[in-house]
Amino acid sequence: MKVVILAGGFGTRLSEETIIKPKPMVEIGHKPILWHIMKYYSYFGFNEFVIALGYKAEFVKDYFLNYQKLDSDLYLDFSSKEIKQKKVTNEKWKIHLIDTGINTLTGGRINRLKSLIDKETFLLTYGDGVSNVNLKDLIKFHKKQKNTTVTLTAVHPPARFGGIKFSRNRVKSFAEKSQVEEGWINGGFMVVEPEIFNYIDRDQNIFETDVLEAVAKNNKLTAYKHNGFWQCMDALRDKYLLESLWKKNEAPWRVW
């Protein structure tokens, strides 16, 4: 199963960092949060990534083009011009870095990946959030549902987010921030069937509203309720929180 990561937004609420680099490249423990997300999926055996790029795409491309050197010990002999990698990373990753347009919205970004993923179930998440959700259990849950197009991971949010309204495991609607009743939001970490492309027709489709709400109206959107850790890096305070957890070796997503 391929893992699609949305990594092309402007990240305006984290402008202290994103004026220089895209949000997925903002570092936690000297590694981009995108790296943390990929390591987490890799732990569960998912090693093929399709990364939807946009804003400052060159930063992500440069990082992975130089990943082997950046993550290795090097020996340099300036007299002979010899360069040796002394420690080689053991990642098994296959990475598709796809420029999906700087102004394309989330639904449109997914649509631009259609040629890579349109005939298979795929995993989908955002390039700015980490969790300790059990991905194997999430996929098992998705497979048990009947006539489902998307299963999202519902998480307990900080108070500033909007929420999801349920009927059992089916998502009925999305509530505004002031209307949160059940204390759940879409935390990403989704399982998606290829029929999702029937709901997307242009670059300006917003996945979270135009697409998922249409799927919900057709009673084909389910939610896997995760009561464990989840945190997005929406603002500078979130980065500080994640950084603190990492430094104290208390990061719940660090399972590798």
Side-chain angles (χ1 to χ4, degrees):
M1 230 182 259
K2 293 185 179 73
V3 181
V4 174
I5 303 177
L6 296 173
F10 289 99
T12 52
R13 283 177 288 188
L14 193 60
S15 60
E16 299 91 343
E17 294 268 356
T18 56
I19 194 171
I20 299 170
K21 63 183 76 171
K23 186 157 62 163
M25 296 304 293
V26 174
E27 293 184 352
I28 304 298
H30 305 295
K31 294 285 189 180
I33 192 170
L34 179 60
W35 176 89
H36 291 262
I37 295 165
M38 293 170 68
K39 289 286 285 187
Y40 190 78
Y41 274 96
S42 185
Y43 172 80
F44 286 92
F46 303 105
N47 289 297
E48 187 167 1
F49 299 93
V50 183
I51 303 178
L53 304 175
Y55 175 68
K56 294 189 180 294
E58 66 275 11
F59 279 79
V60 184
K61 292 177 182 178
D62 286 344
Y63 178 76
F64 286 111
L65 283 171
N66 293 293
Y67 183 79
Q68 291 277 4
K69 292 180 180 178
L70 292 171
D71 201 52
S72 299
D73 294 333
L74 298 175
Y75 167 76
L76 297 88
D77 186 331
F78 287 92
S79 60
S80 66
K81 299 182 181 179
E82 180 184 12
I83 300 176
K84 288 183 180 179
Q85 282 185 216
K86 300 186 71 175
K87 183 189 74 173
V88 179
T89 179
N90 60 358
E91 312 293 5
K92 298 178 181 178
W93 296 345
K94 298 177 182 177
I95 307 172
H96 307 263
L97 298 170
I98 310 299
D99 196 331
T100 56
I102 191 167
N103 293 311
T104 308
L105 300 183
T106 47
R109 293 194 191 284
I110 295 167
N111 200 40
R112 289 198 180 200
L113 305 175
K114 185 176 180 181
S115 62
L116 282 171
I117 55 176
D118 69 339
K119 294 182 180 179
E120 59 184 89
T121 305
F122 62 95
L123 304 176
L124 171 67
T125 198
Y126 302 100
D128 64 353
V130 288
S131 177
N132 63 349
V133 60
N134 187 310
L135 296 176
K136 295 293 187 182
D137 288 347
L138 168 65
I139 293 167
K140 286 179 184 177
F141 175 87
H142 174 79
K143 290 180 177 178
K144 287 180 180 178
Q145 308 308 306
K146 294 181 180 180
N147 199 26
T148 291
T149 302
V150 179
T151 296
L152 58 80
T153 296
V155 298
H156 293 293
R160 66 184 184 272
F161 289 88
I164 296 170
K165 292 184 178 180
F166 292 104
S167 173
R168 296 186 179 179
N169 287 321
R170 297 283 165 163
V171 176
K172 291 302 181 184
S173 65
F174 290 82
E176 296 296 330
K177 295 178 184 179
S178 61
Q179 299 172 320
V180 177
E181 295 174 359
E182 297 187 71
W184 297 93
I185 64 165
N186 174 12
F189 297 93
M190 293 171 262
V191 187
V192 185
E193 297 297 332
E195 69 179 75
I196 194 65
F197 294 105
N198 296 335
Y199 294 86
I200 311 172
D201 59 7
R202 55 194 175 89
D203 279 354
Q204 298 307 302
N205 284 146
I206 301 171
F207 187 70
E208 298 75 19
T209 54
D210 299 331
V211 180
L212 287 186
E213 290 201 358
V215 176
K217 286 179 181 178
N218 285 337
N219 204 34
K220 292 187 176 183
L221 178 60
T222 56
Y224 176 79
K225 295 179 181 178
H226 173 60
N227 287 295
F229 176 83
W230 173 86
Q231 180 65 52
C232 71
M233 192 171 61
D234 195 50
L236 201 57
R237 63 180 174 269
D238 302 320
K239 170 184 161 58
Y240 292 153
L241 170 62
L242 294 171
E243 185 78 30
S244 175
L245 290 171
W246 186 262
K247 286 181 177 178
K248 292 187 290 187
N249 291 318
E250 296 176 358
W253 68 93
R254 189 173 187 172
V255 292
W256 57 90

